[in-house]
Amino acid sequence: MRTCPVLAVASSLALLSALSCAAPVWAHHSFGATFDANKPVTITGVLTKVQWTNPHSHLYLDVKDKDGAVVAWVFEGYPSVVLYRTGWSRDETVTIGDTLTVVGWRARDDSPFALGREVTLPSGKHLFFGPLAGTGEGAAVAPGN
């Protein structure tokens, strides 16, 4: 059986076009897929980096463990637009080198990764950084703000 050269070229071009135009899809995970509601954490450390990104922002803290070794923790939270609504300001709320305390839930694999719920700033002010455990839903307004 012979194939028509024009049809073969057209089919190849259509396939190539479809593959090259396909946008990457970023998977958005549920709370339970990554974090464990039975593993609450309260971590205090020095801020080394902030990522104001979507669908999640991230805080990076250097934390001393019980033996004095520094462990690099990452806390996942709301996207930047929600952080803004909860009282965060990109250039004013936190500065690299600040000591922060983050309350949240640890990753299921026990890595130094957690969903951050609330951050205590050096001033003592508390701001929400992420949703409640479980559903991923929750108020986006910190108490007293």
Side-chain angles (χ1 to χ4, degrees):
M1 177 174 173
R2 297 182 81 193
T3 18
C4 173
V6 173
L7 183 57
V9 170
S11 296
S12 296
L13 286 175
L15 179 60
L16 181 62
S17 176
L19 291 175
S20 66
C21 293
V25 177
W26 296 99
H28 194 136
H29 57 84
S30 70
F31 173 91
T34 306
F35 308 105
D36 188 340
N38 296 314
K39 294 181 182 177
V41 294
T42 300
I43 304 289
T44 299
V46 177
L47 183 68
T48 60
K49 180 178 176 182
V50 180
Q51 286 182 319
W52 299 88
T53 53
N54 290 312
H56 300 287
S57 292
H58 294 88
L59 294 176
Y60 295 79
L61 299 181
D62 277 351
V63 178
K64 287 189 179 178
D65 69 10
K66 64 183 181 214
D67 299 321
V70 174
V71 178
W73 274 78
V74 179
F75 293 89
E76 184 172 282
Y78 286 131
S80 56
V81 67
V82 177
L83 290 179
Y84 178 76
R85 289 195 320 246
T86 64
W88 292 80
S89 172
R90 189 178 295 246
D91 298 323
E92 298 171 11
T93 305
V94 292
T95 305
I96 301 304
D98 283 353
T99 297
L100 306 176
T101 298
V102 184
V103 175
W105 299 271
R106 192 167 191 163
R108 289 189 170 280
D109 64 4
D110 287 324
S111 64
F113 177 52
L115 176 70
R117 172 60 176 158
E118 185 176 290
V119 176
T120 303
L121 305 176
S123 67
K125 183 176 183 178
H126 299 267
L127 290 175
F128 284 141
F129 185 69
L132 295 168
T135 65
E137 301 298 324
V141 179
N145 290 330

